[in-house]
Amino acid sequence: MENKRENWGSRIGFIMAAAGSAVGLGNIWRFPYLAGENGGGAFIVIYLMFVVFIGFSIMLAEFTVGRKTGLAAVGAYKKINRSFTFAGVLGVLSAFFIMGFYPVVGGWATAYILKSFTGLLSDPAAIGDMFGAFIGNPVEPLIWMAIFLAINIVIVAKGISGGIEKAGKILMPTLFVLLILIAIRSVTLPGAGAGLDFLFKPDWSVVNGGTFLAALGQAFFSLSLGMGCMITYGSYLSKSENLPSSALTVSLMDTSVALLAGVAIFPALFAFGMEPAAGPGLVFVVVPQIFAQMGGLGPIFSAIFFIALMVAALTSSVSLLEVVVAYLMDERGWARKKSVYLSGAIMVVTGILSSLSLGVMSGFTLFGVGAFDFFDILTDKIFLAIGGLILAVFVGWFMDKNELKEEMTNGGAIKFGLFEFWYALVKFVIPIAIAIVAFFGITGIAQTSLMLFGLAVIAVLAIFSKKL
Ligand code: TRP
C-alpha cells in the first residue's frame, strides 16, 4: 500500500485523458441516433440542460471525491463512509456492463476502416443494407470486437501514463478536425437546411417522460459519469490542479463534439432523404454516404474518419476497463496485468453475446431484450443515473461541507464562486431531479422489468456492502 500512486504526467495530459474518456462512441454514434429517435431539437435542448445543471456538477463532485481520497471508486466511497461501498461496486459492475456492448460498436468502427477500401463506398444506395448484414453476421463482427478489445487490454496493461495518455493526446484533435470538415460538407449539400431545422428548431410535441430519461442517461453516458470513472481519474490528479475549471473544460469539449457530430450527420441525412429515427446504424450509414460522393479521395477520408472514431472509442473504453482494474488493484491487491487479463477475458464473453444478439441469437432474450440492449438499457437508463443520484446524496449529505470546499479550492488557493450553488444542486436538486426523471421516464414492460431488476441488484449490493 505504500507505493506512491501513479500520477498524470502533466495537466494537459489529465484533461486530454478525461476528455478522451468522455468523448467517444457516446458522442458520435449514440448522441445522433438518440437525437434522431427522440425528435431532434427538443431532445438536444433537454440534453444541454442536463449537462449544465447535472452533468457538470456531478463531474466536479467525482473529481473532488477522487482527488480527496486518492483512491478509485470503491476505495474512495469506503474510506469516507463504509456503508457506501456498494455505490463503488455498482460502478465497477456498470463498467463491466458498458463493456458488454461498447467493444461491439468499437469493433464496427474498426471494421469500417478496412471496409472504406473494400467496396463500402462503391454503391451508396447499398450502404444501409451492408451495415445491417455486417452487424448480423455471426463471425465477422466478433473478430473485429476481439481486435478492439485486445488493443484495450494492451493499453491498460501498460499502465496509466504510458498508454492512455499518449493515445488520447495524438488522435483526439484529428477527430475534431475531421468532424468539422464533415460538418462543412454536410451543411453545404443541397437540401441540408431541413437537417439544421430538425436539430435547432425544437418540436415540443414529441417530448414525453422517455425523452427526459433518454437525455439524462445520455448526459451521464457521454460525460463518463455515475459509475466512478471520473472518481478514478481524479484520484490520479495532483493537489495543485484546478478542479472546477477541469470539469468545465471536459464538459465543454464533450458537448461540442456531440453537437458537431449532430451537425455533421443530420443535414446530410435529410439531404439524402433518409429517416432520422434510423437507430444505431446512423453514423455508419450516413457518413460513408457523404464520402461516397467525394470520388477518388472518399476512401481515404472515410478510413481516417473511422480510425479517429476507433481511437475516440478506445480512449473511452480504456477508462472503463481502468475502473475495473483499479478496483482489483486497490481493493483486492492484484497486480495490474492479472487484473487486466482476467477482466478482459470476461468482456470477450459478454461482447460475443452482445454481438450475436443482433443476429443469430436475436431470439434469445432476457426481460424481453437481447444481450446488447440488456447491457445498454441497464447501464444507460438505470445504473448510471442512479449511480449519479447516490453520489449526489453521498457528497451532499455524508461529506463535510467545509472539507469539500477545501478540496475544491485547493485549500483556498483558487476561487470557486459558484460553490454554494453547486452544493445546493448536489444536495437537493440533483437527487430529486434524477428520481423524478427515472420514475417517469421508464416506459414499457421491458424497461420496467429492467428497472426493477436493476434496483434489486443495487439493493443486494447495499445489503452485502460490508463484505465488498
Ligand atoms: N463517455 C464515453 C462515450 O461517450 C463512454 C464512457 C467511458 C463511459 N467511460 C464511461 C460512460 C464511464 C459511462 C461511464 O463514449
Side-chain angles (χ1 to χ4, degrees):
M1 284 307 281
E2 291 311 304
N3 286 347
K4 193 178 172 306
R5 195 163 182 80
E6 297 166 89
N7 232 308
W8 299 100
S10 59
R11 174 184 158 71
I12 185 77
F14 169 74
I15 296 280
M16 290 312 285
S21 164
V23 176
L25 296 170
N27 307 61
I28 294 158
W29 161 71
R30 202 162 206 286
F31 175 79
Y33 96 73
L34 278 181
E37 282 179 344
N38 287 283
F43 172 87
I44 293 177
V45 171
I46 298 168
Y47 173 78
L48 292 176
M49 242 176 50
F50 284 151
V51 168
V52 172
F53 291 107
I54 298 182
F56 167 78
S57 304
I58 295 284
M59 185 179 294
L60 180 53
E62 291 204 12
F63 283 168
T64 306
V65 170
R67 190 178 69 174
K68 183 166 172 45
T69 55
L71 293 169
V74 180
Y77 275 111
K78 196 187 250 178
K79 184 169 175 181
I80 298 173
N81 188 324
R82 280 195 82 87
S83 0
F84 275 84
T85 312
F86 79 97
V89 177
L90 175 65
V92 175
L93 200 66
S94 303
F96 253 118
F97 283 8
I98 296 175
M99 285 302 275
F101 70 93
Y102 207 91
V104 174
V105 185
W108 298 347
T110 315
Y112 268 55
I113 300 169
L114 190 70
K115 285 182 187 293
S116 300
F117 298 109
T118 57
L120 171 70
L121 308 181
S122 58
D123 180 5
I127 290 175
D129 291 340
M130 275 178 66
F131 176 76
F134 166 62
I135 67 168
N137 183 294
V139 183
E140 204 192 340
L142 297 188
I143 295 171
W144 293 104
M145 186 270 298
I147 293 173
F148 181 82
L149 208 46
I151 304 174
N152 276 280
I153 290 170
V154 171
I155 293 178
V156 178
K158 281 173 81 179
I160 195 87
S161 46
I164 301 176
E165 230 172 282
K166 270 183 215 144
K169 255 188 220 165
I170 308 165
L171 274 135
M172 296 308 291
T174 311
L175 179 74
F176 198 72
V177 172
L178 261 172
L179 276 176
I180 292 178
L181 291 178
I182 300 173
I184 293 173
R185 175 73 272 234
S186 182
V187 297
T188 50
L189 287 167
L196 292 172
D197 285 353
F198 179 78
L199 279 178
F200 298 116
K201 289 211 178 120
D203 170 7
W204 297 102
S205 67
V206 295
V207 170
N208 56 30
T211 319
F212 279 87
L213 183 57
L216 181 70
Q218 174 62 15
F220 274 94
F221 187 89
S222 190
L223 294 166
S224 300
L225 301 176
M227 44 76 75
C229 183
M230 292 305 185
I231 297 182
T232 305
Y233 271 33
S235 74
Y236 297 114
L237 199 48
S238 96
K239 288 288 177 195
S240 59
E241 214 64 78
N242 185 328
L243 299 179
S245 93
S246 299
L248 185 66
T249 310
V250 175
S251 311
L252 278 177
M253 286 168 83
D254 186 70
T255 308
S256 37
V257 174
L259 292 177
L260 199 54
V263 176
I265 288 177
F266 284 101
L269 181 137
F270 278 87
F272 298 145
M274 292 169 55
E275 261 301 301
L282 218 50
V283 70
F284 292 95
V285 177
V286 175
V287 171
Q289 289 209 46
I290 299 178
F291 291 128
Q293 301 203 332
M294 283 182 57
L297 283 178
I300 300 193
F301 274 95
S302 171
I304 298 175
F305 173 78
F306 284 111
I307 290 174
L309 181 59
M310 181 195 79
V311 172
L314 267 177
T315 56
S316 301
S317 51
V318 293
S319 77
L320 291 159
L321 184 51
E322 178 68 21
V323 168
V324 178
V325 169
Y327 165 70
L328 295 172
M329 288 166 58
D330 284 353
E331 299 304 311
R332 297 276 167 252
W334 290 18
R336 177 173 278 273
K337 286 208 160 57
K338 177 179 168 193
S339 316
V340 174
Y341 296 146
L342 189 97
S343 34
I346 296 175
M347 288 164 190
V348 172
V349 177
T350 50
I352 290 175
L353 290 175
S354 282
S355 186
L356 293 181
S357 77
L358 303 173
V360 290
M361 273 176 62
S362 62
F364 205 82
T365 60
L366 198 60
F367 299 109
V369 294
F372 189 104
D373 290 338
F374 174 81
F375 291 131
D376 183 22
I377 297 173
L378 198 57
T379 47
D380 172 70
K381 291 212 164 32
I382 299 163
F383 281 172
L384 296 183
I386 292 182
L389 188 159
I390 297 171
L391 175 88
V393 169
F394 174 73
V395 169
W397 298 87
F398 293 85
M399 284 179 76
D400 183 80
K401 188 175 174 185
N402 290 324
E403 283 182 20
L404 284 168
K405 188 162 187 178
E406 274 279 310
E407 187 67 42
M408 246 175 231
T409 58
N410 299 352
I414 54 168
K415 275 213 156 17
F416 178 43
L418 289 174
F419 178 80
E420 291 296 335
F421 182 60
W422 170 85
Y423 191 71
L425 278 180
V426 167
K427 189 168 180 131
F428 302 107
V429 180
I430 292 176
I432 295 172
I434 293 179
I436 294 175
V437 172
F439 186 78
F440 289 106
I442 287 289
T443 48
I445 288 275
Q447 287 188 14
T448 308
S449 31
L450 278 166
M451 173 66 93
L452 294 176
F453 170 74
L455 291 176
V457 169
I458 296 171
V460 168
L461 288 178
I463 290 165
F464 292 103
S465 65
K466 294 279 181 305
K467 295 203 169 66
L468 297 169

